[in-house]
């Protein structure tokens, strides 16, 4: 059995590592990182009472383009951790998703890594480190980050959620994205309550995975998720899974049947969204092209989620991947508002602390 596992590992490495979409991160020097940190996150938030009132009045389930341009553009946004799949150059597809979100009105600074300017994280980066980075961002920015993963990146996103339950490790360390080094501490000061809390107790507002399953589950770096992938823990409030039929790389049993469905192990709200079978597993996050059409952007802004979304409009431009893009944008807007409302109410409850 050990020989079989070794051979599988060696074969996977031989086939995949030469083409992995990896980042070699070095981080900033200490002096530069300290300067950035002093002018980062909560240190720079100065919303007027008028803007705060407008944010509190927004409906998270119905966010218009005007709401984004006139209200949310004046406010910070939760950090988005986009995790790309494993084969080069698939990271370009998640970069495209990042640029799509920016084009729809999301702040670029809330997606790009402030340490090295990268748009995404690799599915091969240590899940403990990604969890530690998320904890650092929450402590500094006051808004709980969101995660979106593609292919193996979707599996990695679920793995990070399990890290926050203490299932794999009860001693996660805060990881600084500016220096790309551990801060050698296992707790953060919760920016809302002001109390110390272990990293492993964090709960994220939203996470999503697309094409997470199929043949990529056989790779050694995903073995620990074999029996956990489809069960979403309470470390996230809302989780969306995107799948499609005939997806050999990303769908169990080619994307058909209950084997490809995610479910909650506890209180998380889990949605399973079925996309058309003709959508490409590899290029699904590639959505930047949708910004070229005013008609398409209007449709995306007006989109309301359904379990089996459909398009009954003939668009004037390339609309490939529009259902995925619209559903993600709906959830991102929703939790952008909910996180801001959460922070504003906490600040108003204890104004002397801010």
């Amino acid at each position: 059995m050990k020989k079989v596992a070794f051979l599988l590992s060696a074969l996977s490495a031989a086939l995949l590592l030469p083409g992995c979409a990896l980042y070699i991160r070095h981080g900033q020097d200490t002096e530069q990182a300290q300067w950035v940190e002093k002018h980062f996150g909560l240190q720079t938030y100065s919303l007027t009472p008028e803007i705060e009132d407008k944010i509190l009045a927004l409906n998270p389930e119905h966010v218009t383009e005007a709401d984004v341009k006139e209200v949310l553009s004046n406010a910070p946004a939760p950090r988005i951790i986009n995790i790309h799949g494993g084969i080069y150059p698939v990271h370009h597809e998640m970069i495209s998703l990042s640029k799509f979100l920016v084009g729809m009105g999301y702040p670029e600074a809330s997606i790009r890594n402030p340490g090295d300017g990268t748009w995404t994280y690799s599915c091969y980066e240590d899940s403990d480190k990604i969890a530690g980075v998320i904890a650092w961002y929450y402590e500094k920015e006051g808004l709980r980050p969101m995660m979106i993963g593609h292919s193996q990146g979707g599996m990695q996103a679920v793995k990070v959620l399990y890290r926050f339950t203490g299932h794999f490790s009860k001693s996660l360390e805060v990881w600084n994205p500016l220096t790309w080094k551990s801060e050698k501490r296992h707790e953060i000061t919760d920016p809302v309550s002001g109390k110390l809390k272990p990293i492993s107790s964090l709960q994220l507002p939203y996470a999503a995975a697309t094409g997470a399953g199929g043949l990529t589950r056989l790779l050694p770096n995903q073995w620990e998720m074999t029996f956990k992938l489809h069960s979403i823990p309470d470390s996230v409030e809302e989780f969306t899974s995107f799948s499609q039929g005939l997806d050999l790389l990303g769908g169990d049993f080619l994307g058909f049947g209950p084997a490809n469905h995610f479910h909650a192990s506890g209180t998380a709200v889990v949605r399973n969204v079925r996309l058309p079978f003709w959508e490409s597993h590899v290029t699904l996050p590639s959505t930047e092209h949708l910004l070229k059409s005013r008609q398409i952007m209007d449709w995306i802004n007006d989109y309301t989620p359904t379990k089996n979304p459909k398009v009954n409009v003939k668009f004037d431009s390339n609309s490939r991947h529009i259902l995925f893009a619209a559903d993600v944008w709906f959830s991102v807007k929703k939790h952008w508002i909910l996180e801001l409302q959460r922070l504003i109410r906490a600040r108003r409850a204890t104004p002397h602390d801010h």
Side-chain angles (χ1 to χ4, degrees), residues 83 147-149 152-162 207-209 239:
I83 309 177
M147 277 194 301
I148 304 171
Q152 280 198 75
M155 285 184 269
Q156 192 74 347
V158 178
K159 193 186 298 184
V160 172
L161 292 179
Y162 272 97
F239 181 91

Side-chain angles (χ1 to χ4, degrees), residues 262-322:
F262 287 69
H263 62 272
S265 62
T267 60
V269 175
V270 177
R271 295 175 56 239
N272 288 284
V273 178
R274 184 66 174 272
L275 299 174
F277 71 88
W278 58 80
E279 298 279 26
S280 167
H281 171 90
V282 174
T283 64
L284 184 61
S286 182
T287 47
E288 188 180 5
H289 63 276
L290 299 171
L291 301 172
K292 295 179 181 179
S293 167
R294 181 71 259 175
Q295 179 196 21
I296 288 175
M297 290 178 67
D298 288 342
W299 190 91
I300 291 172
N301 276 314
D302 292 338
Y303 172 85
T304 300
T306 60
K307 186 175 182 179
N308 295 297
K310 292 180 175 61
V311 176
N312 298 313
V313 178
K314 186 175 181 179
F315 294 109
D316 58 10
S317 184
N318 178 9
S319 62
R320 195 174 189 188
H321 311 324
I322 188 173

Side-chain angles (χ1 to χ4, degrees), residues 186-234:
H186 307 287
E187 294 180 316
I188 60 169
T189 300
D190 190 297
V192 173
S193 69
K195 299 178 180 179
L196 284 176
K197 66 185 302 180
I199 301 173
S200 59
S201 66
L202 280 181
Q203 184 186 47
L204 303 189
Y206 169 71
T210 178
L215 291 180
T216 51
R217 294 177 70 185
L218 301 177
L219 298 176
N221 62 310
Q222 303 298 348
W223 284 350
E224 64 181 332
M225 295 302 298
T226 300
F227 300 107
K228 300 180 182 68
L229 177 62
H230 293 108
S231 182
I232 302 303
D234 292 346

Side-chain angles (χ1 to χ4, degrees), residues 16 68 75 92 118 123 131 150 169 268 296 328:
L16 298 181
V68 175
H92 290 303
T118 51
C123 65
H150 171 225
S169 175
I296 288 175
V328 168

